[in-house]
Amino acid sequence: FCNVVFAGSTTALTGLDVDCNLTINAGATFNAGTFVHNVAGNWSNDGGTFGAGASTVVFDGTTDQNVGQESFYNVIPFKAAGVLLATGNWNVAGSFAMGGGTVNLGNSRAHVATGGVTVIGRLNMGTGTTTLTVGGNFLVSNPGELILQNAPVRIVMANTKVLQVLGGGKITATGSGASVPTIESALGQS
């Protein structure tokens, strides 16, 4: 499919492969079930309801993609080219597992990844007061890179969970004064 627009109530009976944009109109409902849904364009929820169920949304476009505010179950950015930009806050109940490419978490956003984060691509924490709250472990694996740049960005880790950099993965942090990025536990320790 190219541009998919949900205008009524729809329940997925199989995974969708959306080659362009996916839009959920005001008052519409899209129940994703337990399927894998691939989206190559933008994701926009204009006041409808996305029932994530136990689904996985794979963002796999080869150009820039914008993803607005949404509550997902699993999210897998798997981009060969282009940037996946969060234009709204994301709440990921399952896992956020980057398969490749670049994700920018946007300007002054508050994201939650309850099940943990795996970075194999480039995860840019964005700018402004962007916060990523992680309920599970946070892994940065080769050739992954976590970018914390010139802004009061924060990663808040659940108590007893770890931020781990594995074999060739890296964290790049820049900033000074009030613009120093922080990584802290749920207890508030840096």
Side-chain angles (χ1 to χ4, degrees):
F1 303 103
C2 192
N3 290 309
V4 174
V5 178
F6 294 99
S9 181
T10 304
T11 298
L13 300 177
T14 187
L16 297 177
D17 188 4
V18 181
D19 293 329
C20 300
N21 300 325
L22 183 144
T23 303
I24 303 171
N25 283 343
T29 299
F30 170 42
N31 292 307
T34 59
F35 302 106
V36 175
H37 304 284
N38 294 67
V39 179
N42 299 330
W43 178 288
S44 178
N45 186 333
D46 297 335
T49 300
F50 175 59
S55 68
T56 299
V57 177
V58 178
F59 292 102
D60 59 0
T62 56
T63 60
D64 290 350
Q65 292 176 262
N66 295 319
V67 178
Q69 182 163 323
E70 195 60 83
S71 293
F72 297 101
Y73 186 72
N74 294 318
V75 173
I76 302 176
F78 197 82
K79 298 184 62 57
V83 174
L84 182 65
L85 175 63
T87 58
N89 299 331
W90 298 350
N91 185 346
V92 181
S95 65
F96 179 81
M98 291 184 62
T102 300
V103 174
N104 185 318
L105 291 182
N107 183 19
S108 299
R109 302 284 175 215
H111 305 288
V112 176
T114 303
V117 175
T118 302
V119 178
I120 296 174
R122 296 182 72 198
L123 179 60
N124 186 328
M125 282 292 296
T127 59
T129 55
T130 298
T131 300
L132 174 59
T133 302
V134 181
N137 292 328
F138 194 131
L139 305 175
V140 181
S141 185
N142 189 30
E145 179 180 15
L146 172 61
I147 302 168
L148 310 169
Q149 64 182 14
N150 294 322
V153 298
R154 295 175 56 222
I155 297 175
V156 180
M157 301 290 298
N159 194 21
T160 74
K161 299 302 178 182
V162 297
L163 171 67
Q164 187 173 16
V165 180
L166 304 172
K170 63 182 178 177
I171 298 175
T172 303
T174 60
S176 62
S179 293
V180 174
T182 61
I183 299 172
E184 59 190 63
S185 75
L187 300 175
Q189 300 167 331
S190 295

